Amino acid sequence: MKVRPEDLSQVPPAGERVPNPGIMVIFGASGDLTKRKLLPALFHLEQVGLLPKNFAIVGVARRPLGGEFAADMRAGIVEFGSVDNGDPKLDEFKSKISYYALSFDDPSHYAGLKAELDRIAKEKSIGPDRLFYLATAPEYFAPIIENLGAQEMAQPEHGHVGVVIEKPFGHDLDSARELNHQVNAVFHENQVFRIDHYLGKETVQNILVFRFANGIFEPVWNRNYIDHVQITAAETLGVEGRGPFYEKAGALRDVVQNHVMELLSFVAMEPPSSFDAEAVRREKVKAWRAIPNIPILNAVRGQYGPGVVDAKKVVGYRDEERVNPESGTETYAAVKLGIENWRWAGVPFYLRAGKRLKKRATEISIQFKQPPLLIFNRMQGGGPCQEIQPNLLTIRIQPNEGIALRFGAKVPTTPEMAVCPVNMDFDYAAAFGTSTANGYERLLLDAMLGDQTLFAHRDGVEVTWALYTPILEAWAAKNPEVFPNYFSGSWGPDCADRLLEHDGHLWRNNLGGK
Ligand code: BG6
C-alpha cells in the first residue's frame, strides 16, 4: 500500500521541534564526516524548516583553512546531500558557516575560541545554546572536553549546552570507563550525546514501532515461538583508506560492540513504559545485562584476502594502504550469545559483521519454530519449495529497506497439499517514497533539542564493552593461525559457518530482499 501525501499531513508541524538559536561547534571539521554527513544533514534540516533562523556552524580543526572551509562545505552539501548547486538556500546557509583553527590539546587556544563564539553570538543575535560535536580522532576527546571545562564553556548559563561524542567511545572497558569519567567531570550526563549513527536510521527506529505500535507481534516475540535470531551487518567496502584507524579497531570494535548491539537491544528489550530517554535506555541496558559472558569459543574472526566484489578485483586487507602486511586485525567477526531472561532463555542470537563480503546488507532475521506437527507435503521437484520452511521475519535495515514475513502457502493446482514458502513484503520506498536523509538529521536535531532517547548512555557503553573486552583480549593474546581466511566477495570464513552448524543452523545468505 502506498502512503498518500495527504496521509502524512497529520504529522505534527515541523515548528514544534525547532531548537533555540544556537551555535554548533564541530571539532575535527576538516575530516570526511563533516563534509559527507554532518553538513548535508544540517542543510536538509534547514530545507525543511527545522533549524532556527539565527544559527551558526563553526568548524574547528588544526589546519589554517579560513574562508575556503565554508566553500568546501557548500560543495560537500551539493555532492553528498544530493542538493542542486543552484538551490537558492545554499548561499544563505553558507554564510552561517565559519572556521576556527586550533590545536585540540593546547589549552592556550581555547580562550580565543570562546571569544570567537561570543563574537558570533553577538553578531547573529544568538543566545547561550551551544552544541559541541567531537568528530576528531578519539585521543582528542578527553583534552577537548577538559579544555572546554577549563574555559567554563560547558556550563549552561540559561540555555542548553551539549556535547556529541562520535564513536569509538573507548577501545575496551577500562578506556570507556575512563572516558566516561573524564566526560562526566565536565558535563552532566544529561548534556552528553554519545552517537551511534545506526540509531538515526529510520529502519532501526522502526523496529520499536513494529514491535510496540502493533499488537500482533509481541505475543509471539519470545522463546515459546522464536527459534533463533540472526543479525548481519555485511559490507562490500574494504577499509577505504582508513588503514591506521582500522588496524587498531577491527570488526568487533568497529561495528559489533556498537551498531550490531544497538540492533540487538531493540529486538530484545522489554516494552518501555514510554518513548522517553530514560525509559528506553533503561530497557536496553537491562537486555544487555542479561547476556552472560560470551565463551571465547562462541566468537570467531576472519580477515579478507583478495577476491572479486561487485565484479571488480580487489586486494586483500594486508595489501591495503597503510596496513601492516602481516596484520592480525579481524575484518570479520561472528558471535553467538544468549540472553538469560524469561523472554529469551535458550534462544541463540547469532551476530556477524564483516567487510568485503558478497553483498551489502544489514539485516535482522527472526526464525520462528516449526509447527509441532507437519501434516502437509513438501513440494517435489526442487527449488525453494523443496523443504517446508519455518516462518521467518526479516527486517531489512539497508538496502531495500523493508520487512518481510515468510510463510507457507498451498501450491495451486497440485493434487496434493504441497506447501511452498512465500513472502508478505513491506517496502519502505514503495510505501513512503525514497528519502535523502542520512540518519544524522534526526540525531543532530535531537541533540540540539536535548533529547537523549536515541543516544547511548554511560551504563550502556560500559555493559557492551564488558561483554566484548575478554574476547578482544583473548584475540590480542593469540595471533590467528591462518589469516586471511576468506576471499573478498565471499560470505566470510568457514569458522563462522561452523559456529552455527553446531546448533544445526545455517547463516541466511539470501540477504537484501530483491
Ligand atoms: C562505521 C564504521 O561506524 O559504520 C565503518 O566505522 C562502517 O567501518 C560503517 O563502514 C557502516 O555504516 P553504514 O551506515 O554504512 O552501515
Side-chain angles (χ1 to χ4, degrees), residues 167 197-198 201 235 242 254 259 355 398:
K167 69 181 274 274
H197 77 279
Y198 262 54
K201 294 182 193 279
E235 296 182 77
R242 294 196 305 158
D254 187 36
H259 304 329
K355 292 204 181 277
Q398 61 190 26

Side-chain angles (χ1 to χ4, degrees), residues 61-331:
R62 276 162 296 188
R63 285 186 240 164
L65 285 176
E68 72 194 77
F69 177 74
D72 194 33
M73 293 303 113
R74 185 193 188 281
I77 294 168
V78 171
E79 184 178 350
F80 303 108
S82 313
V83 173
D84 190 303
N85 194 25
D87 188 310
K89 281 197 161 164
L90 264 175
D91 285 323
E92 194 201 325
F93 190 71
K94 183 180 154 212
S95 71
K96 299 182 179 185
I97 305 172
S98 62
Y99 183 79
Y100 190 82
L102 158 154
S103 283
F104 304 131
D105 49 3
D106 187 339
S108 70
H109 288 187
Y110 282 76
L113 175 64
K114 186 179 186 187
E116 174 69 356
L117 299 186
D118 288 346
R119 186 193 65 74
I120 294 172
K122 204 161 164 218
E123 182 189 302
K124 298 188 187 285
S125 307
I126 292 174
D129 281 23
R130 305 280 181 271
L131 190 65
F132 298 104
Y133 196 116
L134 311 194
T136 62
E139 60 266 32
Y140 295 115
F141 293 166
I144 293 171
I145 286 169
E146 197 185 327
N147 286 317
L148 291 175
Q151 287 297 327
E152 296 180 352
M153 292 160 87
Q155 297 318 316
E157 281 166 46
H158 307 288
H160 164 62
V161 176
V163 62
V164 181
I165 305 173
E166 262 295 336
K167 69 181 274 274
F169 195 90
H171 54 89
D172 59 10
L173 178 58
D174 286 346
S175 56
R177 273 193 183 138
E178 194 188 340
L179 184 55
N180 271 332
H181 184 74
Q182 289 159 332
V183 171
N184 290 139
V186 174
F187 288 95
H188 188 277
E189 182 61 23
N190 67 15
Q191 295 175 276
V192 184
F193 298 81
R194 295 175 193 80
I195 203 161
D196 182 314
H197 77 279
Y198 262 54
L199 294 181
K201 294 182 193 279
E202 294 288 348
T203 44
V204 175
Q205 294 162 23
N206 189 50
I207 301 170
L208 296 186
V209 173
F210 181 78
R211 289 189 57 197
F212 305 133
N214 295 293
I216 63 170
F217 304 111
E218 241 355 70
V220 295
W221 207 263
N222 57 52
R223 63 192 299 279
N224 298 327
Y225 295 91
I226 293 177
D227 182 73
H228 73 276
V229 177
Q230 296 186 14
I231 304 182
T232 299
E235 296 182 77
T236 48
L237 292 179
V239 283
E240 308 303 299
R242 294 196 305 158
F245 159 78
Y246 203 81
E247 278 286 271
K248 287 196 245 150
L252 199 67
R253 281 194 177 93
D254 187 36
V255 172
V256 178
Q257 178 270 339
N258 37 76
H259 304 329
V260 174
M261 289 304 279
E262 290 293 347
L263 298 178
L264 176 136
S265 71
F266 276 15
V267 171
M269 70 197 270
E270 294 302 313
S273 53
S274 69
F275 189 63
D276 70 33
E278 218 207 304
V280 172
R281 300 199 306 185
R282 189 172 46 231
E283 294 305 337
K284 284 169 57 177
V285 171
K286 264 169 63 188
W288 287 326
R289 286 212 170 110
I291 302 172
N293 290 343
I294 305 169
I296 184 69
L297 289 176
N298 286 356
V300 299
R301 54 182 158 162
Q303 187 191 73
Y304 62 82
V308 178
V309 177
D310 290 336
K312 269 202 221 117
K313 274 193 176 172
V314 296
V315 297
Y317 176 69
R318 290 176 175 186
D319 291 322
E320 297 275 12
E321 234 178 89
R322 296 182 291 158
V323 164
N324 175 356
E326 288 172 18
S327 174
T329 299
E330 85 284 358
T331 58

Side-chain angles (χ1 to χ4, degrees), residues 6-39:
E6 54 270 35
D7 299 331
L8 294 172
S9 65
Q10 300 306 316
V11 174
E16 285 183 17
R17 276 180 60 84
V18 177
N20 292 330
I23 304 180
M24 179 174 296
V25 184
I26 305 173
F27 288 89
S30 55
D32 259 11
L33 182 79
T34 311
K35 184 173 174 177
R36 284 172 178 262
K37 304 277 186 186
L38 304 183
L39 266 294

Side-chain angles (χ1 to χ4, degrees), residues 289-468:
R289 286 212 170 110
I291 302 172
N293 290 343
I294 305 169
I296 184 69
L297 289 176
N298 286 356
V300 299
R301 54 182 158 162
Q303 187 191 73
Y304 62 82
V308 178
V309 177
D310 290 336
K312 269 202 221 117
K313 274 193 176 172
V314 296
V315 297
Y317 176 69
R318 290 176 175 186
D319 291 322
E320 297 275 12
E321 234 178 89
R322 296 182 291 158
V323 164
N324 175 356
E326 288 172 18
S327 174
T329 299
E330 85 284 358
T331 58
Y332 177 103
V335 172
K336 171 187 165 181
L337 55 79
I339 303 180
E340 283 187 359
N341 59 22
W342 277 53
R343 186 187 286 270
W344 295 115
V347 178
F349 281 70
Y350 303 105
L351 321 178
R352 62 176 165 167
K355 292 204 181 277
R356 286 282 191 238
L357 296 179
K358 198 179 183 81
K359 207 167 178 184
R360 171 176 176 250
T362 301
E363 235 173 82
I364 301 169
S365 40
I366 295 166
Q367 183 164 316
F368 289 85
K369 294 185 174 170
Q370 291 274 29
L373 187 65
L374 293 171
I375 58 170
F376 301 115
N377 302 324
R378 65 184 66 165
M379 169 101 173
Q380 301 299 318
C385 306
Q386 213 168 12
E387 296 292 328
I388 294 188
Q389 297 184 7
N391 294 124
L392 183 79
L393 182 79
T394 312
I395 303 176
R396 297 190 302 271
I397 303 296
Q398 61 190 26
N400 300 331
E401 291 77 2
I403 298 179
L405 177 63
R406 180 177 77 192
F407 59 96
K410 179 184 176 301
V411 183
T413 72
T414 50
E416 75 277 34
M417 296 287 275
V419 179
C420 187
V422 293
N423 271 333
M424 283 200 286
D425 205 339
F426 153 63
D427 180 276
Y428 258 87
F432 296 112
T434 46
S435 154
T436 51
N438 67 23
Y440 277 90
E441 287 83 350
R442 169 73 190 261
L443 296 177
L444 289 172
L445 185 64
D446 282 359
M448 285 185 256
L449 291 163
D451 182 345
Q452 295 179 301
T453 312
L454 297 174
F455 293 87
H457 185 265
R458 66 175 288 159
D459 297 348
V461 290
E462 291 185 13
V463 180
T464 50
W465 275 123
L467 282 168
Y468 288 109

